[in-house]
Amino acid sequence: PASALRPALRPALAPPAALLPRRFRSSGASASPLRTASAPAMSAESPAPVKIVASRGITYPLGFTAFGMAAGLKPSGKSDLALILSEKEETTAAGVFTTSALSAPPVGYCRDVLKKGGNIRAVLANAGQANAATGRKGLEDVGTSVAALGQALGFPVGEDVMVASTGVIGRRIKMAEMLAALPKLVAGLGDGEESDKAAATAIMTTDLAMKSIAMETDIGGKVVRVGAMGKGSGMIHPDMATMLAFLTCDAAVPKDIWQGILSRAADRSFNQITVDGDTSTNDALIGLANGAGTVSVPSAGSPEAAAVEDLVTQCCQYIARCVARDGEGATVLIEVRVSSAPDDAAARRVAKTVCGSALFKAAMFGRDPNWGRIAAAAGRAGVEFEQEKLGIRLGEFELMKDGQPVEFDAKAASEYLGNAAKGAYLTDEDTVVVEVDLGAGEGKGVAWGCDLSYDYVKINAEYTT
């Protein structure tokens, strides 16, 4: 089977601070699992210092519980069903979803629920079957799942839940197994490290590592917390926003402000990653804010809103980097930083185009410092710049300056790529950094991806067989 071609599942370790970009880390590392982080590169200075709680995840914010279990949806018998619940009846929900015309029934259902504007405080996610391209029957399965879960939770009629699915396209959810598991899933709800891990593990498919994180910040003596988890390894080229991400926050945030925060965070994180250029039918980023903490956001321009948005963005960027590094068959994480673009949106477009270039990705796997592939990708990104001002760096090696090739040690540059492939998993050591200076303005942007290896083809050639 294709799964046999992948390396063994890596243990679910507490995410090291080194996984975070340098902008996320303080100059002095603490022995405590709580680490201080600085501002994200794509925004102004953070309104307040951010602490990273590396060992926690989706239930770290107050008033949230979660659980994950094996319901028999996956042929492997592994965990495949997760539930996230806000214990506060008044909870604000927001979502950012795939733009694919073949969006799955769960995506369409969630869009409709959000438009209704009702109270939403639970998210059910399954792995094993994507329930995409399943037509009317697939939508009926969603409705049945929602009704059964609402009954199991004791929700009043009219209170909605969100749903998400990941797995093989064209396959409906195994409804008998799912419905039978719901009472046990609800009974298992809890908070703490084990609950975080159980939920995050249950949404994995071809992922090699669990993706989970929590962060907090202090706003005028009041603490706000955000927890996040995600999954994704192949079919990763989100435009939303198969990739799923879930986020919880214990601040009280009005619906329109919360939706804006989540959308902008997606643009600076999940929409800036690519593994293979294929946008999933099921891409979804769902966020719940329940007000169980002491922070309330009074308006869009308030310091509280800025602090919450910064926290949400950093969590999303962390999970996005995890997804990019865990790309199917990947041996390195690639970070492309673009500067001096006409604006930030243009910089992000160039960065993602470079990250998504199959030729560039293949060169990174072959440890070939072929800067021509970087320049060519930047040139076709649809952003105007003067090639006489283009600059390119690979790690510490300057490859192009003012549009002219620069003599560099090709062997040493190749060794830089090779050493990254040998580096500790999800650290700076296994990250290849590419810098592109367009000389066309003040815009900055970053994107993340991975190399293209032989294993990617092997895995996807036998995905269902």
Side-chain angles (χ1 to χ4, degrees), residues 130-311:
N131 194 20
T134 50
R136 179 176 55 83
K137 290 292 186 181
L139 187 58
E140 290 176 357
D141 290 342
V142 171
T144 300
S145 302
V146 168
L149 178 60
Q151 184 176 10
L153 289 169
F155 280 1
V157 176
E159 184 155 5
D160 290 308
V161 303
M162 304 274 269
V163 291
S165 298
T166 181
V168 180
I169 293 173
R171 294 186 182 175
R172 292 170 57 194
I173 301 169
K174 296 179 180 179
M175 292 303 296
E177 288 84 348
M178 173 185 278
L179 296 176
L182 289 181
K184 184 177 180 181
L185 186 69
V186 172
L189 286 168
D191 58 15
E193 290 185 25
E194 290 305 313
S195 297
D196 295 337
K197 180 180 178 181
T201 303
I203 60 173
M204 293 168 60
T205 52
T206 58
D207 304 64
L208 291 180
M210 181 187 73
K211 302 166 179 67
S212 179
I213 194 67
M215 300 184 188
E216 67 176 48
T217 191
D218 185 288
I219 307 173
K222 299 178 179 180
V223 176
V224 60
R225 305 164 187 84
V226 171
M229 68 182 198
K231 64 82 54 184
S233 186
M235 207 176 192
I236 302 297
H237 191 78
D239 188 11
M240 12 179 247
T242 308
M243 192 214 79
L244 301 178
F246 307 100
L247 186 139
T248 55
C249 176
D250 57 16
V253 190
K255 181 176 176 58
D256 58 337
I257 297 176
W258 184 235
Q259 181 63 58
I261 286 173
L262 205 67
S263 296
R264 289 187 293 274
D267 282 342
R268 290 168 170 79
S269 58
F270 298 111
N271 282 350
Q272 286 302 108
I273 60 174
T274 183
V275 168
D276 48 22
D278 275 309
T279 299
S280 170
T281 57
N282 294 57
D283 283 340
L285 167 61
I286 296 173
L288 301 177
N290 67 2
T294 55
V295 172
S296 295
V297 175
S299 63
S302 65
E304 292 86 353
V308 170
E309 181 163 346
D310 183 74
L311 200 59

